[in-house]
Amino acid sequence: MTETEPEGVAPDSWISCRGCRTLVYGRRLADNFHVCPQCGYHLRLTATQRLAQLLDEGSARPLPVPESVEDPLGFTDSRPYPDRLADARSATGLDEAVVCKEGTICGHRIIVAAMDFRFMGGSLGTAVGERITLAAEAALERRTPLLIVTASGGARMQEGILSLLQMARTSQALARLDEAGILTVSLITDPTYGGVAASFASLTDLIFAEPGARMGFAGPRVIEQTIRRPLPDGFQTAEFLLEHGLLDGVHGRSTLRPLLAKILGATGNSHHWRVSRERESPTVLTEPEALDVTDAWEAVRGARSNRRPTTLDYVEMILGGFQELHGDRIAGECPAMVGGIGWLEDTPVMLIGHQKGHNTRELAARNFGMARPQGYRKAARLIRLADKLGLPLVTLIDTPGAYPGIDAEENGQSVAIAENLRLMSRLSVPTVAVVTGEGGSGGALALALADRVLMMSGAVYSVISPEGCASILWKDAAAAPEAAAALRMDAASLLEQGVVDGVIPEPPGGCGADPALAGERLGAALLDEFARLAEQTDEERRRARYERYASVGRQAPSRTEKNVLKATPEPAR
């Protein structure tokens, strides 16, 4: 019987799972990607096994292996460092703790650097740093995405400060890929600690992890000794990291190839996006006279209806191959803000939006669509990624406003919203924002500084809620209907004021009465708008976006003002 690890195990042997101690037949374990069929525990893989599972059969080609200085310090503890290297090489059949190859995943080109924990704990030494750096340089030269599979206990102490400096070396290499707009992805496997966690593992555009994988800078034993109290359950596991905003997702081993193929397919040709769409009749209404006059308070109540489609409902209706991404990489995950990459017909896009729900349980879980700073920072991260990869940006707005809580203020709500506004103002990629329901205050505007701003005909958009306005100015929240009328927050009024560029007609009875038709109209409107924006250069879009908001307050008179002017007789000459 073999304890826990699959490498070198004969197919007819039995293996004891570390997770549940169940005996698993070797052949069954191999057929299940070395994941325990009883408890789902992911046994460690060798670098060779990992590459074989991820890359298309026959596609893998090794990258050149550079010569590196061994034992730069002449280090000896209980044994000379060269002897330890020799033992690791004999035991693993590898010459170092990382294997770098180029190949394809479902036909998509990629360069993969896979670490192997068996080789001196996957420690980061000069040779590992050199190979990670060369893999990044190869990705830069070939303009090919880079995937790094991590498994490490930290820096290699036998190489002293030279090992520590590999953190800077590899981080610098990834920074060049950022500047070049090349996708980078980390796959965190168990364990990933120390210098690897604090450098290239955490610097990629997307970070996924296997279930139960642990990652951190300091190990749990060191932390417990330092703080002198027990650690929370699941501390530093993938699930813990996802909850705290440090991962994009946790995915079982059998789903990794399809996941990576989906991401690579959506980002591989995104710099050359083009949209072509012809219609006999306009999808979007641009004249206020074409819209029915509605009671302002009724419009507010309709926009807040739980029957209206949410952002994720629209995603399901208008996008193909959507991959939701999580986390702000700083403090947490905000369920009131969702985002990810998907296909709008033949165009890969980044979509970000507020998320509410259809019942009390869903609304509470999503904080009623009121995002915390973590949500706006997540949005900012995805906005930057869209700009880096050349993905058109869609934002869907449906929120009463940003969450007004103590923790939100402590974590910098104002700063997070301000950063989103600055980011969106200077994007190179085309952006279309749509108010799908309730557009409340700065929490809505944080996603609405776009090239084109649309709204559903039953949506509303305002500086403050009618209740808030009534409480402050009328000194009575019951005056909300009067405040709603005075704020002119309905679609026709906003189109008239030039706040929005167009209005998407809702189905009879509103979007909640026929969500499928609402989704069809939204998708068609987005395609039309992106087709128009595709005719402009990046600089033309940036300039037009600047001029759009620079002219706010200098708009032409409203329809009411025009009527007054027409009715006023000219003075005698």
Side-chain angles (χ1 to χ4, degrees):
M1 183 183 73
T2 301
E3 178 77 5
T4 70
E5 306 302 343
E7 54 269 11
V9 175
D12 58 352
S13 65
W14 290 87
I15 296 166
S16 175
C17 170
R18 181 180 294 172
C20 64
R21 294 299 174 184
T22 299
L23 292 179
V24 185
Y25 192 49
R27 190 180 303 279
R28 184 183 182 195
L29 191 67
D31 291 342
N32 201 43
F33 300 95
H34 293 129
V35 176
C36 176
Q38 300 298 320
C39 70
Y41 179 81
H42 282 54
L43 283 75
R44 290 176 188 163
L45 294 181
T46 70
T48 302
Q49 289 170 327
R50 180 73 62 179
L51 290 163
Q53 285 190 355
L54 289 177
L55 295 177
D56 296 338
E57 186 175 357
S59 72
R61 297 182 302 279
L63 295 180
V65 177
E67 291 186 8
S68 55
V69 177
E70 296 188 356
D71 194 19
L73 305 183
F75 191 94
T76 298
D77 43 39
S78 59
R79 298 181 62 206
Y81 177 39
D83 289 354
R84 294 191 181 277
L85 285 174
D87 288 348
R89 287 165 180 163
S90 175
T92 64
L94 304 177
D95 59 356
E96 256 304 339
V98 65
V99 179
C100 302
K101 293 191 177 184
E102 58 179 325
T104 59
I105 296 178
C106 298
H108 302 289
R109 293 175 58 221
I110 193 166
I111 288 175
V112 185
M115 302 189 73
D116 196 315
F117 191 77
R118 298 174 306 154
F119 195 104
M120 299 190 68
S123 51
L124 175 62
T126 54
V128 172
E130 172 80 355
R131 295 178 191 204
I132 296 288
T133 299
L134 290 179
E137 290 176 352
L140 180 64
E141 179 184 353
R142 297 162 173 73
R143 300 202 62 82
T144 301
L146 173 67
L147 168 64
I148 305 175
V149 184
T150 63
S152 176
R156 191 170 297 178
M157 291 177 287
Q158 292 90 341
E159 297 184 15
I161 192 67
L162 300 180
S163 172
L164 183 71
L165 292 181
Q166 302 310 307
M167 295 169 62
R169 185 184 195 182
T170 54
S171 299
Q172 180 176 264
L174 284 180
R176 295 180 70 193
L177 294 179
D178 268 342
E179 294 168 357
I182 295 171
L183 176 71
T184 55
V185 183
S186 288
L187 173 58
I188 308 301
T189 73
D190 188 64
T192 296
Y193 278 105
V196 169
S199 58
F200 54 85
S202 298
L203 289 179
T204 54
D205 299 315
L206 303 176
I207 306 177
F208 301 110
E210 291 188 333
R214 295 165 296 163
M215 182 171 77
F217 182 59
R221 186 180 306 168
V222 172
I223 296 172
E224 282 189 321
Q225 290 173 350
T226 302
I227 66 175
R228 299 185 183 280
R229 64 173 184 265
L231 299 176
D233 292 340
F235 183 70
Q236 293 184 327
T237 63
E239 294 74 17
F240 178 93
L241 298 171
L242 180 65
E243 180 183 349
H244 288 79
L246 302 177
L247 299 178
D248 283 285
V250 177
H251 298 273
R253 194 168 288 164
S254 63
T255 68
L256 290 175
R257 260 176 62 85
L259 167 71
L260 293 168
K262 184 192 300 184
I263 295 292
L264 294 172
T267 59
N269 298 314
S270 54
H271 284 284
H272 307 290
W273 69 273
R274 286 293 181 268
V275 181
S276 177
R277 194 81 173 179
E278 299 294 337
R279 277 195 169 70
E280 296 179 359
S281 59
T283 303
V284 176
L285 302 178
T286 57
E287 295 297 330
E289 292 80 3
L291 291 165
D292 295 332
V293 177
T294 58
D295 177 79
W297 184 239
E298 287 303 313
V300 172
R301 294 177 63 187
R304 293 172 174 173
S305 170
N306 292 353
R307 296 179 62 208
R308 296 181 72 85
T310 67
T311 290
L312 289 178
D313 292 332
Y314 280 122
V315 163
E316 186 174 347
M317 290 186 281
I318 69 174
L319 294 188
F322 181 73
Q323 178 59 51
E324 186 174 354
L325 304 172
H326 298 272
D328 68 351
R329 293 286 195 276
I330 299 173
E333 164 66 1
C334 176
M337 185 78 74
V338 297
I341 299 171
W343 289 86
L344 182 63
E345 287 200 352
D346 296 329
T347 303
V349 300
M350 179 73 76
L351 186 144
I352 304 168
H354 301 97
Q355 177 66 16
K356 289 184 176 179
H358 295 294
N359 54 51
T360 302
R361 181 182 59 80
E362 290 178 355
L363 287 165
R366 299 285 182 174
N367 203 34
F368 296 86
M370 295 184 292
R372 289 177 161 84
Q374 295 92 322
Y376 290 105
R377 285 196 291 260
K378 173 170 65 174
R381 183 174 74 83
L382 299 185
I383 289 167
R384 292 189 192 96
L385 181 58
D387 208 34
K388 170 182 172 176
L389 300 177
L391 294 170
L393 176 65
V394 177
T395 59
L396 302 184
I397 297 145
D398 185 15
T399 180
Y403 179 62
I406 294 174
D407 64 318
E409 294 301 316
E410 290 176 341
N411 284 284
Q413 186 75 285
S414 298
V415 176
I417 291 172
E419 178 64 13
N420 277 27
L421 295 174
R422 178 167 60 180
L423 276 173
M424 293 191 73
S425 73
R426 297 304 297 159
L427 285 178
S428 298
V429 295
T431 62
V432 179
V434 185
V435 183
T436 60
E438 189 176 11
S441 192
L445 182 61
L447 295 187
L449 203 163
D451 296 316
R452 300 283 293 174
V453 181
L454 309 178
M455 66 187 300
M456 306 300 290
S457 60
V460 294
Y461 186 20
S462 178
V463 64
I464 192 172
S465 70
E467 294 89 344
C469 180
S471 295
I472 295 170
L473 299 182
W474 273 261
K475 311 301 181 186
D476 182 4
E482 290 87 347
L487 288 167
R488 300 187 65 210
M489 54 198 298
D490 61 287
S493 297
L494 294 167
L495 184 59
E496 187 177 64
Q497 296 170 66
V499 174
V500 299
D501 300 296
V503 175
I504 304 170
E506 297 191 11
C511 293
D514 193 343
L517 181 56
E520 180 182 333
R521 290 180 177 179
L522 173 62
L526 291 172
L527 286 164
D528 284 347
E529 296 300 331
F530 281 127
R532 294 187 184 97
L533 292 170
E535 298 172 359
Q536 298 177 295
T537 66
D538 294 352
E539 186 52 41
E540 286 172 341
R541 284 193 300 272
R542 271 197 298 262
R543 185 168 59 249
R545 194 183 308 139
Y546 179 83
E547 292 172 352
R548 170 197 176 94
Y549 291 97
S551 67
V552 169
R554 300 199 301 265
Q555 299 288 348
S558 68
R559 178 168 43 174
T560 303
E561 292 168 333
K562 289 178 182 177
N563 292 338
V564 170
L565 289 172
K566 288 178 182 178
T568 303
E570 293 185 5
R573 294 182 182 274

